[in-house]
Amino acid sequence: MSAARGDGGPLITGELAAAEVSVSAATIRKWVQLGHLAAAGRQGRRHLYRLEDVFAAERTARRRAG
């Protein structure tokens, strides 16, 4: 588990972000490709995300799917 700290709160890995919104890590990567989510930082090779951004991306994706 990663929890770096950025300006807008703790940053989490894609794997943890995926677990928080009950999707796969591949879905997180897809949201990034689609522009629904942007990495807020890096830890080595891993991208880190703000949890609030992950929740916003989930809402956007679900709205478009349904």
Side-chain angles (χ1 to χ4, degrees), residues 25-43:
T27 298
I28 297 294
R29 291 190 298 272
K30 188 63 161 180
W31 290 349
V32 171
Q33 288 176 343
L34 293 172
H36 299 315
L37 179 62
R42 291 182 66 102
Q43 182 179 44

Side-chain angles (χ1 to χ4, degrees), residues 15-56:
E15 292 81 12
L16 184 55
E20 286 291 326
V21 292
S22 301
V23 299
S24 69
T27 298
I28 297 294
R29 291 190 298 272
K30 188 63 161 180
W31 290 349
V32 171
Q33 288 176 343
L34 293 172
H36 299 315
L37 179 62
R42 291 182 66 102
Q43 182 179 44
R45 293 182 53 168
R46 290 181 168 195
H47 291 179
L48 301 174
Y49 305 94
R50 286 186 184 87
L51 190 55
E52 64 189 55
D53 294 342
V54 175
F55 289 138

